[in-house]
Amino acid sequence: TTIWHNVTGAMLVNSKAVLTKTEITQNKTGLSIIDGNPEISLSNIHSNEINAEASGGPIALDKNYLGSVNTDEMRIKGTASALKVYDAPLPTGTLIDAISNPYAKLTPDEKKAKMAELLMTGGKYFKERNLGKSAATFEEALKIEDSPTVYYYLALSYQGMEDNEKALKYLEKGAEKFPMDSVVIKAYGMLLYQLNKEAKAKDVLKEAARLNPGDRQIKFLLEQLEAKPAGGQ
């Protein structure tokens, strides 16, 4: 069943109903549960203003996709909770433990102070070439705020540990979130070049050159790519 574009998608009152393999999306309130003990599973409940709210006894929303694996971003209210959720819409998602963000309840000033502390600590570890701790600290910082600086140093940390797969993942995500940041875009293009993904590297480095036309290193790499015959990845 697909339930969408309603004020309330589905309301269960004093019910023991079983709701499974259901798509509940783009409603004001996706699922409202009042008392009762229904079983909700294997459903995609996401992109609603409130995905699910419950009153009365505790309601488990495990084994569903709720738009995020982070409990603070699931848009659930009242007595509803989830400990194990899918990390992507079913049927492609994988069941994993839900994550609780320890910084979600900090005030903006507290978040700013904690972010500054983590950036300073991560930078210290990076300078000392303690790359494992550097990566862990910058990953912690991402829980507070997306930042191009964090994505950049995360990638450098993993490159230093010769884990180019993770480095590429973070640069790709950083480039997607901060498309006007020339430092992240350049680093992404350079890593693609190093990994011989030449077609993609050329596209990314062209964008880096557009953002920073005076960068000689980008210009040199593009000249190298242009001189090669077509056929890269």
Side-chain angles (χ1 to χ4, degrees):
T1 305
T2 297
I3 303 172
W4 67 339
H5 295 174
N6 302 283
V7 174
T8 300
M11 178 180 286
L12 304 177
V13 182
N14 196 21
S15 170
K16 292 185 179 180
V18 175
L19 189 151
T20 187
K21 297 181 181 178
T22 299
E23 184 90 10
I24 302 178
T25 183
Q26 299 179 48
N27 304 282
K28 186 169 184 180
T29 298
L31 180 62
S32 176
I33 303 168
I34 303 171
D35 298 319
N37 188 30
E39 295 180 25
I40 318 295
S41 67
L42 303 178
S43 295
N44 295 321
I45 307 170
H46 65 98
S47 302
N48 306 281
E49 289 185 27
I50 299 171
N51 285 328
E53 62 178 352
S55 59
I59 298 296
L61 294 175
D62 296 337
K63 298 181 181 177
N64 297 287
Y65 172 66
L66 296 165
S68 175
V69 298
N70 192 321
T71 56
D72 301 296
E73 298 173 357
M74 291 180 185
R75 302 183 188 178
I76 56 179
K77 297 178 66 176
T79 57
S81 62
L83 297 177
K84 284 187 174 291
V85 295
Y86 285 91
D87 62 357
L90 292 152
T92 59
T94 301
L95 190 64
I96 65 171
D97 290 332
I99 300 168
S100 179
N101 188 334
Y103 307 110
K105 295 182 180 179
L106 295 182
T107 66
D109 286 344
E110 289 171 336
K111 286 182 179 179
K112 185 177 180 180
K114 186 63 179 177
M115 187 71 173
E117 176 191 330
L118 289 170
L119 289 175
M120 186 179 299
T121 303
K124 176 176 175 290
Y125 285 138
F126 184 79
K127 287 179 182 178
E128 295 170 352
R129 305 306 290 168
N130 191 339
L131 299 176
K133 285 191 174 181
S134 169
T137 305
F138 285 120
E139 284 177 342
E140 193 71 11
L142 275 185
K143 296 178 183 178
I144 301 176
E145 180 185 334
D146 279 330
S147 159
T149 301
V150 173
Y151 284 112
Y152 177 71
Y153 280 104
L154 260 173
L156 290 185
S157 298
Y158 278 113
Q159 278 184 272
M161 292 186 282
E162 298 184 356
D163 190 342
N164 287 323
E165 185 177 340
K166 278 192 176 179
L168 192 64
K169 180 190 79 170
Y170 280 117
L171 286 174
E172 183 176 15
K173 189 175 290 186
E176 180 183 333
K177 288 179 176 287
F178 300 98
M180 302 302 288
D181 190 278
S182 62
V183 174
V184 171
I185 304 298
K186 175 183 174 180
Y188 181 34
M190 289 180 65
L191 184 54
L192 287 166
Y193 179 84
Q194 292 169 26
L195 297 176
N196 296 317
K197 298 179 181 292
E198 295 178 356
K200 181 68 174 176
K202 187 186 293 186
D203 290 340
V204 175
L205 288 170
K206 282 181 178 178
E207 179 61 15
R210 186 185 73 84
L211 295 170
N212 188 1
D215 192 306
R216 294 182 179 180
Q217 188 178 26
I218 297 173
K219 184 179 179 181
F220 174 78
L221 291 176
L222 279 173
E223 288 173 351
Q224 297 297 307
L225 287 168
E226 294 290 351
K228 288 187 177 183
Q233 295 182 43

Coordinates of all heavy atoms in Angstrom, one line a residue, residues 35-94:
D35 N -2.8 4.6 21.7 CA -3.1 3.4 22.5 C -2.9 2.2 21.6 O -2.4 2.3 20.5 CB -4.4 3.4 23.2 CG -4.6 4.6 24.2 OD1 -3.6 4.9 24.9 OD2 -5.6 5.2 24.2
G36 N -3.2 1.0 22.2 CA -3.1 -0.2 21.4 C -1.7 -0.7 21.3 O -0.7 -0.1 21.9
N37 N -1.5 -1.7 20.5 CA -0.2 -2.4 20.4 C 0.0 -2.9 18.9 O 0.1 -4.1 18.7 CB 0.0 -3.5 21.4 CG 1.4 -4.0 21.4 OD1 2.4 -3.3 21.1 ND2 1.6 -5.3 21.7
P38 N -0.1 -2.0 17.9 CA 0.1 -2.5 16.5 C 1.5 -3.0 16.2 O 2.5 -2.6 16.9 CB -0.3 -1.3 15.7 CG 0.1 -0.1 16.6 CD -0.2 -0.6 18.0
E39 N 1.6 -3.8 15.2 CA 3.0 -4.2 14.7 C 3.2 -3.5 13.4 O 2.5 -3.7 12.4 CB 3.0 -5.7 14.5 CG 2.8 -6.5 15.8 CD 2.8 -8.0 15.5 OE1 3.4 -8.4 14.5 OE2 2.3 -8.8 16.3
I40 N 4.3 -2.7 13.4 CA 4.7 -1.9 12.2 C 6.0 -2.4 11.7 O 7.0 -2.4 12.5 CB 4.8 -0.4 12.5 CG1 3.6 0.1 13.4 CG2 4.9 0.4 11.2 CD1 2.3 0.0 12.8
S41 N 6.1 -3.0 10.5 CA 7.4 -3.5 10.1 C 7.6 -3.4 8.6 O 6.6 -3.4 7.8 CB 7.6 -4.9 10.6 OG 6.7 -5.8 9.9
L42 N 8.8 -3.5 8.1 CA 9.2 -3.6 6.7 C 8.5 -2.5 5.8 O 8.1 -2.8 4.7 CB 8.8 -5.0 6.2 CG 9.5 -6.2 6.9 CD1 9.0 -7.5 6.3 CD2 11.0 -6.1 6.9
S43 N 8.4 -1.3 6.4 CA 7.7 -0.2 5.7 C 8.6 1.0 5.6 O 9.5 1.2 6.4 CB 6.4 0.2 6.5 OG 5.5 -0.9 6.5
N44 N 8.4 1.8 4.5 CA 9.1 3.0 4.3 C 8.2 4.2 4.8 O 7.2 4.5 4.1 CB 9.4 3.2 2.8 CG 10.4 2.1 2.3 OD1 11.3 1.7 3.0 ND2 10.1 1.6 1.1
I45 N 8.6 4.7 5.9 CA 7.8 5.8 6.5 C 8.8 7.0 6.6 O 9.6 7.1 7.5 CB 7.3 5.4 7.9 CG1 6.6 4.1 7.9 CG2 6.5 6.5 8.5 CD1 6.3 3.5 9.3
H46 N 8.7 7.9 5.6 CA 9.7 9.0 5.5 C 9.1 10.1 4.7 O 8.1 10.1 4.1 CB 10.9 8.4 4.8 CG 10.7 8.0 3.3 ND1 11.0 8.9 2.3 CD2 10.1 6.9 2.8 CE1 10.6 8.3 1.1 NE2 10.1 7.1 1.4
S47 N 9.9 11.3 4.8 CA 9.5 12.5 4.0 C 8.1 13.0 4.4 O 7.5 13.7 3.6 CB 9.6 12.2 2.5 OG 10.9 11.8 2.2
N48 N 7.7 12.7 5.6 CA 6.5 13.3 6.2 C 7.0 14.5 7.1 O 8.1 14.4 7.6 CB 5.7 12.3 7.0 CG 5.3 11.1 6.1 OD1 4.4 11.1 5.3 ND2 6.0 10.0 6.4
E49 N 6.1 15.4 7.4 CA 6.5 16.5 8.4 C 6.8 15.8 9.7 O 7.8 16.1 10.4 CB 5.4 17.5 8.5 CG 5.3 18.4 7.3 CD 4.3 19.6 7.5 OE1 4.1 20.0 8.7 OE2 3.7 20.0 6.5
I50 N 5.9 14.9 10.1 CA 6.2 14.0 11.3 C 6.0 12.6 10.7 O 4.9 12.2 10.2 CB 5.2 14.2 12.4 CG1 5.3 15.7 12.9 CG2 5.4 13.2 13.5 CD1 4.2 16.0 13.9
N51 N 7.0 11.8 10.8 CA 6.9 10.4 10.2 C 6.0 9.6 11.1 O 5.1 8.8 10.5 CB 8.3 9.8 10.1 CG 9.1 10.3 9.0 OD1 8.5 10.7 7.9 ND2 10.4 10.4 9.2
A52 N 6.1 9.6 12.4 CA 5.2 8.8 13.3 C 5.1 9.4 14.6 O 6.1 10.0 15.1 CB 5.8 7.4 13.4
E53 N 4.0 9.4 15.2 CA 3.8 9.9 16.6 C 2.9 8.9 17.3 O 2.0 8.3 16.7 CB 3.2 11.3 16.7 CG 1.8 11.5 16.1 CD 1.4 12.9 16.2 OE1 2.0 13.7 16.9 OE2 0.3 13.2 15.6
A54 N 3.2 8.7 18.6 CA 2.4 7.7 19.4 C 2.1 8.3 20.7 O 2.9 9.0 21.3 CB 3.2 6.4 19.5
S55 N 0.9 7.9 21.3 CA 0.6 8.2 22.7 C 0.0 7.0 23.3 O -0.5 6.1 22.7 CB -0.4 9.4 22.7 OG -1.6 9.0 22.0
G56 N 0.1 6.9 24.6 CA -0.3 5.7 25.3 C 1.0 4.9 25.7 O 2.0 5.5 26.1
G57 N 1.0 3.6 25.4 CA 2.1 2.8 25.7 C 3.2 3.0 24.7 O 3.1 3.6 23.6
P58 N 4.4 2.4 25.0 CA 5.5 2.5 24.0 C 5.3 1.7 22.7 O 4.7 0.6 22.8 CB 6.7 1.8 24.8 CG 6.1 1.0 25.8 CD 4.8 1.6 26.2
I59 N 5.7 2.3 21.6 CA 5.5 1.7 20.3 C 6.9 1.5 19.6 O 7.6 2.5 19.5 CB 4.6 2.6 19.4 CG1 3.2 2.7 20.0 CG2 4.5 2.0 18.0 CD1 2.4 1.4 20.1
A60 N 7.2 0.3 19.3 CA 8.5 0.0 18.6 C 8.3 0.1 17.1 O 7.4 -0.4 16.5 CB 9.0 -1.4 19.0
L61 N 9.2 0.9 16.5 CA 9.2 1.1 15.0 C 10.4 0.5 14.4 O 10.8 0.9 13.4 CB 9.1 2.6 14.7 CG 7.8 3.3 15.1 CD1 7.9 4.8 14.9 CD2 6.6 2.7 14.4
D62 N 10.9 -0.6 15.0 CA 12.0 -1.3 14.5 C 11.7 -1.9 13.1 O 10.5 -2.2 12.8 CB 12.5 -2.4 15.5 CG 13.0 -1.8 16.8 OD1 13.4 -0.6 16.8 OD2 13.0 -2.5 17.8
K63 N 12.8 -2.2 12.4 CA 12.6 -2.9 11.1 C 11.8 -2.1 10.1 O 11.0 -2.7 9.3 CB 12.0 -4.3 11.3 CG 12.9 -5.2 12.2 CD 12.3 -6.6 12.3 CE 13.2 -7.5 13.2 NZ 12.6 -8.8 13.4
N64 N 12.0 -0.8 10.1 CA 11.4 0.1 9.1 C 12.4 1.0 8.6 O 13.5 1.2 9.3 CB 10.2 0.8 9.7 CG 9.0 0.0 10.1 OD1 8.3 -0.6 9.3 ND2 8.9 -0.2 11.4
Y65 N 12.2 1.7 7.5 CA 13.0 2.8 7.1 C 12.3 4.1 7.5 O 11.1 4.4 7.1 CB 13.2 2.8 5.5 CG 13.9 4.0 5.0 CD1 15.2 4.3 5.4 CD2 13.3 4.9 4.2 CE1 15.9 5.4 5.0 CE2 13.9 6.1 3.7 CZ 15.3 6.3 4.1 OH 15.9 7.4 3.7
L66 N 13.0 4.9 8.3 CA 12.4 6.1 8.8 C 13.1 7.4 8.3 O 13.1 8.4 9.0 CB 12.4 6.1 10.3 CG 11.5 4.9 10.9 CD1 11.8 4.7 12.4 CD2 10.0 5.3 10.8
G67 N 13.7 7.3 7.2 CA 14.3 8.5 6.6 C 15.7 8.8 7.0 O 16.4 9.6 6.4
S68 N 16.2 8.2 8.1 CA 17.5 8.4 8.6 C 17.8 7.2 9.6 O 16.9 6.6 10.2 CB 17.6 9.7 9.3 OG 18.9 9.9 10.0
V69 N 19.1 7.0 9.8 CA 19.5 6.0 10.9 C 19.8 6.8 12.2 O 20.0 6.2 13.2 CB 20.7 5.2 10.4 CG1 20.4 4.4 9.2 CG2 22.0 6.1 10.2
N70 N 19.7 8.1 12.1 CA 20.0 8.9 13.3 C 18.7 9.2 14.0 O 17.7 9.7 13.4 CB 20.6 10.3 12.9 CG 21.1 11.1 14.0 OD1 20.5 11.1 15.1 ND2 22.3 11.7 13.8
T71 N 18.6 8.8 15.3 CA 17.3 8.9 16.0 C 16.8 10.3 16.1 O 15.6 10.5 16.1 CB 17.5 8.3 17.4 OG1 18.5 9.0 18.1 CG2 17.8 6.9 17.4
D72 N 17.7 11.3 16.0 CA 17.3 12.7 16.1 C 16.7 13.2 14.8 O 16.2 14.3 14.8 CB 18.5 13.5 16.6 CG 19.0 13.1 17.9 OD1 18.2 13.2 18.9 OD2 20.1 12.6 18.0
E73 N 16.9 12.5 13.7 CA 16.4 12.9 12.4 C 15.3 12.1 11.9 O 14.9 12.2 10.7 CB 17.6 12.9 11.4 CG 18.7 13.8 11.8 CD 20.0 13.7 10.9 OE1 19.9 12.8 10.1 OE2 20.9 14.4 11.1
M74 N 14.7 11.2 12.7 CA 13.7 10.2 12.2 C 12.3 10.9 12.2 O 11.4 10.3 11.7 CB 13.7 9.0 13.1 CG 14.9 8.1 12.9 SD 14.8 6.6 14.0 CE 16.4 5.9 13.7
R75 N 12.1 12.0 12.8 CA 10.8 12.7 12.9 C 9.8 11.8 13.5 O 8.7 11.7 13.0 CB 10.4 13.1 11.5 CG 11.4 14.0 10.8 CD 10.8 14.5 9.4 NE 11.8 15.2 8.6 CZ 11.6 15.6 7.4 NH1 10.4 15.5 6.8 NH2 12.6 16.3 6.7
I76 N 10.1 11.3 14.7 CA 9.2 10.5 15.5 C 8.9 11.2 16.8 O 9.9 11.8 17.4 CB 9.6 9.0 15.7 CG1 11.0 8.9 16.3 CG2 9.6 8.3 14.3 CD1 11.4 7.5 16.5
K77 N 7.7 11.1 17.3 CA 7.4 11.9 18.5 C 6.6 11.0 19.5 O 6.1 9.9 19.1 CB 6.5 13.1 18.1 CG 7.2 14.1 17.2 CD 6.2 15.2 16.9 CE 5.8 16.0 18.1 NZ 5.0 17.2 17.7
G78 N 6.5 11.4 20.7 CA 5.7 10.8 21.7 C 6.4 9.5 22.2 O 7.6 9.5 22.4
T79 N 5.6 8.4 22.3 CA 6.1 7.2 22.9 C 6.7 6.2 21.8 O 7.0 5.1 22.1 CB 5.0 6.5 23.7 OG1 3.9 6.2 22.8 CG2 4.6 7.3 24.9
A80 N 6.8 6.7 20.6 CA 7.4 5.8 19.5 C 8.9 5.9 19.6 O 9.5 6.9 20.0 CB 6.9 6.3 18.2
S81 N 9.6 4.8 19.3 CA 11.0 4.7 19.3 C 11.5 3.6 18.3 O 10.7 2.8 17.9 CB 11.6 4.5 20.7 OG 11.1 3.2 21.1
A82 N 12.7 3.7 18.0 CA 13.3 2.7 17.0 C 14.8 2.4 17.4 O 15.5 3.4 17.6 CB 13.2 3.2 15.6
L83 N 15.1 1.2 17.5 CA 16.5 0.8 17.8 C 17.2 0.2 16.7 O 18.4 0.3 16.5 CB 16.5 -0.2 19.0 CG 15.9 0.3 20.3 CD1 15.9 -0.9 21.4 CD2 16.7 1.5 20.9
K84 N 16.5 -0.5 15.8 CA 17.1 -1.1 14.6 C 16.3 -0.7 13.4 O 15.1 -1.0 13.4 CB 17.2 -2.6 14.7 CG 18.3 -3.2 15.6 CD 18.4 -4.7 15.5 CE 19.6 -5.2 16.3 NZ 20.9 -4.8 15.7
V85 N 16.9 0.0 12.4 CA 16.2 0.5 11.3 C 17.0 0.2 10.0 O 18.1 -0.1 10.0 CB 16.0 2.0 11.4 CG1 15.1 2.4 12.6 CG2 17.3 2.8 11.5
Y86 N 16.3 0.4 8.9 CA 17.0 0.2 7.6 C 17.7 1.5 7.2 O 17.1 2.6 7.5 CB 16.0 -0.2 6.5 CG 15.6 -1.7 6.7 CD1 14.5 -2.1 7.4 CD2 16.3 -2.7 6.1 CE1 14.1 -3.4 7.6 CE2 16.0 -4.0 6.2 CZ 14.9 -4.4 7.0 OH 14.5 -5.7 7.2
D87 N 18.8 1.4 6.6 CA 19.6 2.5 6.2 C 19.3 3.1 4.9 O 19.8 4.1 4.4 CB 21.1 2.2 6.3 CG 21.5 1.2 5.3 OD1 20.7 0.6 4.6 OD2 22.7 0.9 5.2
A88 N 18.3 2.5 4.2 CA 17.8 3.0 2.9 C 16.4 2.4 2.7 O 16.1 1.4 3.3 CB 18.8 2.6 1.7
P89 N 15.6 3.0 1.8 CA 14.3 2.5 1.6 C 14.3 1.0 1.2 O 15.2 0.5 0.5 CB 13.7 3.3 0.5 CG 14.5 4.6 0.6 CD 15.9 4.2 1.0
L90 N 13.4 0.3 1.7 CA 13.2 -1.1 1.4 C 12.7 -1.2 -0.1 O 12.0 -0.3 -0.5 CB 12.2 -1.8 2.3 CG 12.7 -2.0 3.7 CD1 11.5 -2.0 4.7 CD2 13.5 -3.2 3.9
P91 N 13.1 -2.2 -0.8 CA 13.8 -3.4 -0.4 C 15.3 -3.4 -0.4 O 15.9 -4.4 -0.2 CB 13.3 -4.5 -1.4 CG 13.1 -3.7 -2.7 CD 12.7 -2.3 -2.3
T92 N 15.9 -2.3 -0.7 CA 17.4 -2.2 -0.9 C 18.1 -2.0 0.4 O 19.3 -2.2 0.5 CB 17.8 -1.2 -1.9 OG1 17.3 0.1 -1.4 CG2 17.2 -1.5 -3.2
G93 N 17.5 -1.5 1.5 CA 18.1 -1.1 2.7 C 18.7 -2.3 3.5 O 18.3 -3.4 3.3
T94 N 19.6 -2.0 4.4 CA 20.2 -2.9 5.3 C 19.9 -2.6 6.7 O 19.9 -1.4 7.1 CB 21.8 -2.9 5.1 OG1 22.1 -3.2 3.8 CG2 22.4 -3.9 6.1

